[in-house]
Amino acid sequence: MSPAPGEPTPAATAPGASALRERVRRLVREVAKFGAVGGAGVLVNLAVFNLVRHLTELQVVRASVLATVVAIVFNYLGFRYFTYRDRDKGGRTREMTLFLAFSVIGLVIENGILYTGTYGLGFDGRLESNVLKFAGIGVATLFRFWSYRTWVFRAPAAVRAAKEAAEPVREPVASGSSAGRG
């Protein structure tokens, strides 16, 4: 018999389904906050990049590295005090060291794409530089999201323990000819 209209289905009320919904809801919220800070960081990055290119004679990749460093500082403040403010605040030295290390890897990814396009493929116009810069930011952002949430801004131990407790225990499946025999 099916439930009355408006009543939850048995599958929707199962503990595993509600835990999964909660995990998805938290992930969507985290991605939205990461995107808000990251989007503002992209604007800072591109603004500083174009300002430096317009006002100085600095080479394109050097201007980009400078802009990326300014954006890294901006993003750290946004991630620490907005996106991941509920995460473990212990070990700030460790956090900042890891953030800096992963940010430098992201900087290399981002500016490696710009360098390759500019010096390897000859795309050195202002529009081309901005397109390459934006593409580099996009690829580096995927790496940064994974590394920051996994290693830098870790969930508090209580949240990790609750997630592990909500995970269903999977029993190993018997295989071979002895399965089902008594």
Side-chain angles (χ1 to χ4, degrees):
M1 180 170 183
S2 63
E7 289 184 27
T9 62
T13 59
S18 64
L20 177 62
R21 261 196 319 273
E22 180 59 24
R23 287 181 71 185
V24 169
R25 186 190 68 74
R26 280 194 311 261
L27 181 62
V28 167
R29 188 168 181 231
E30 179 181 347
V31 168
K33 286 179 161 186
F34 188 92
V37 171
V42 167
L43 294 177
V44 167
N45 197 332
L46 291 172
V48 171
F49 174 66
N50 283 291
L51 191 62
V52 170
R53 295 259 349 255
H54 181 72
L55 297 177
T56 72
E57 296 296 319
L58 211 54
Q59 294 175 334
V60 66
V61 175
R62 289 181 182 168
S64 180
V65 168
L66 179 63
T68 303
V69 168
V70 171
I72 286 170
V73 171
F74 175 87
N75 286 345
Y76 177 78
L77 295 172
F79 292 142
R80 166 43 51 217
Y81 297 106
F82 176 66
T83 305
Y84 297 113
R85 69 175 171 244
D86 59 331
R87 298 290 176 97
D88 187 9
K89 291 178 180 70
R92 283 289 169 101
T93 302
R94 175 193 170 280
E95 175 184 285
M96 291 181 86
T97 302
L98 287 173
F99 184 86
L100 185 59
F102 289 124
S103 293
V104 167
I105 294 169
L107 180 145
V108 170
I109 292 168
E110 177 183 326
N111 291 290
I113 290 171
L114 179 63
Y115 180 90
T116 301
T118 302
Y119 301 111
L121 302 175
F123 299 136
D124 59 356
R126 288 200 184 274
L127 177 61
E128 294 163 328
S129 294
N130 277 284
V131 169
L132 290 167
K133 175 92 171 137
F134 191 76
I137 290 170
V139 173
T141 295
L142 296 174
F143 168 76
R144 288 177 178 130
F145 178 73
W146 169 81
S147 63
Y148 294 166
R149 80 181 305 264
T150 304
W151 298 100
V152 181
F153 300 108
R154 296 169 36 153
V159 173
R160 287 193 304 270
K163 284 181 186 178
E164 290 169 6
E167 293 288 324
V169 176
R170 293 191 169 85
E171 297 292 327
V173 177
S175 62
S177 60
S178 63
R181 291 188 202 167

